[in-house]
Amino acid sequence: MPRSVFIHSQEIEKYRYPEDSPFKTERAGRTRQVLYTMGLLYGPDIREVAPVPAARTVLKKFHSARYLHALKSAQQGKWDVEALAMGIGTEDCPIFKGVYDYAVLAAGGTLVGAELILRGEADVAFNPSGGYHHAFPERAAGFCYVNDNALACLILAEAGRRVLYLDVDVHNGDGVAHAFYERSDVMTISLHENPKTLFPGTGFEDEIGAGAGRGYCVNLPLPVGTFDQAYLHAFEEIVPPLIGAFNPDVIVFELGADTLAGDPLAHLYLTNNAYVEIIQHLQRFGKPILMTGGGGYHVENTVRAWALAWTVLSGQQADLGLEAMMGGVMLQSTDWQGGLRDREVPVTNEQRQTVLPALQATLDTLKAKVFPLHGL
Ligand SMILES: [Zn+2]
């Protein structure tokens, strides 16, 4: 069994984005509650660890002092056009009570996970309050203020680790890709809805890194309506071969749940069964995995997906019982008592006919442009 760390605390539950924001911080606490109730946070190899605020010296490895100052000032009620120009106080990134403290604590949770992995004290760690992949050094965007994913990759890379960053949030992991666009020690792979139809408008398949980083930034845009089978085909064609070629020491995994069918902000059509398969693929590499939350705007679906992901990540799938082992076909139920897996969702012929050819074209492009750079 992997030594598994779940990162959460009562302290972090006190922060909330404004009521009208689609971003719900309480997803983390609810995930923890579901896992606790189901007995999935106990065991000799499982422990809960509280996040601690990220140190300023660490934050400055990615964010500018000017930006951090503006964010902290905004929390204290001092806000100006300069801060607004950095994305602070916009509709997506509002100033709420404790915004700086929350962003720094949430990021600190991911960094706690990175440290435990670096010290060899954990094999897997999950911070459901992490995954703020849209933050840039001097810009808040897409509900993100402090980029915990980029910071964790930086810390791990500084310690000499080869880092594979995998981002399956429905939005392109632009802030992290930006951080490592010209580096070859951190490979970033992002699967997301086609940027033509979704924020942030980046992450096309021809964005492959530059200079020393050429071939180490991988973008796999997915057509509207992409469903489990199509997604997993694309994943299997592209991701395991690249991970194998790159041979990372550690995997940082952003598990946004806004790819799921029914998400109000996006247009993909997955079920959480796809996430189980993705995690099982990652586990085959036998490397430590630092997993974070991310997007996910249908709260119930997101909580269930993250609870299921933790269960698989921490090696507890057997504890889910027969129905979970059956693979989403038989005996499934979407209510809480019925297990964590989603029911399969029906896929139309029209969906197949629009999704599959577009996806195949993307896979062909990636194989032509990126694979040869890794001897594939
Ligand atoms: Zn997202």
Side-chain angles (χ1 to χ4, degrees), residues 133-134 169-171 258 295-297:
H133 59 169
H134 296 307
D169 191 283
V170 80
H171 303 93
D258 37 13
Y297 304 95

Side-chain angles (χ1 to χ4, degrees), residues 111-150:
L111 299 177
V112 163
E115 288 294 337
L116 288 171
I117 285 173
L118 269 181
R119 293 205 299 265
E121 294 174 23
D123 302 311
V124 301
F126 177 33
N127 175 22
S129 296
Y132 292 101
H133 59 169
H134 296 307
F136 274 71
E138 218 165 64
R139 189 172 89 218
F143 313 122
C144 305
Y145 305 86
V146 172
N147 197 323
D148 58 304
N149 297 109

Side-chain angles (χ1 to χ4, degrees), residues 11 147 154 192 359:
E11 163 74 9
N147 197 323
L154 282 166
H192 45 263
L359 200 50

Side-chain angles (χ1 to χ4, degrees), residues 135-264:
F136 274 71
E138 218 165 64
R139 189 172 89 218
F143 313 122
C144 305
Y145 305 86
V146 172
N147 197 323
D148 58 304
N149 297 109
L151 285 168
C153 292
L154 282 166
I155 295 284
L156 292 163
E158 258 185 27
R161 303 300 195 278
R162 285 172 73 77
V163 184
L164 187 281
Y165 174 72
L166 174 67
D167 188 322
V168 302
D169 191 283
V170 80
H171 303 93
N172 173 224
D174 54 349
V176 187
H178 162 84
F180 303 103
Y181 205 69
E182 296 183 18
R183 288 172 61 160
S184 61
D185 55 342
V186 179
M187 175 183 274
T188 65
I189 303 179
S190 179
L191 285 79
H192 45 263
E193 182 177 326
N194 191 327
K196 284 180 189 154
T197 51
L198 201 68
F199 175 89
T202 54
F204 291 98
E205 54 267 55
D206 59 355
E207 298 168 35
I208 62 166
R214 189 171 156 77
Y216 292 86
C217 176
V218 182
N219 287 294
L220 207 177
L222 302 153
V224 166
T226 293
F227 47 95
D228 283 355
Q229 190 193 11
Y231 189 97
L232 288 169
H233 171 69
F235 183 92
E236 282 159 12
E237 289 284 301
I238 299 298
V239 181
L242 284 171
I243 298 180
F246 181 64
N247 191 24
D249 300 310
V250 56
I251 296 171
V252 177
F253 179 38
E254 205 270 21
L255 184 68
D258 37 13
T259 48
L260 297 175
D263 189 277

Side-chain angles (χ1 to χ4, degrees), residues 298-309:
H298 186 298
V299 172
E300 300 289 325
N301 288 351
T302 301
V303 167
R304 205 166 54 246
W306 287 350
L308 180 65

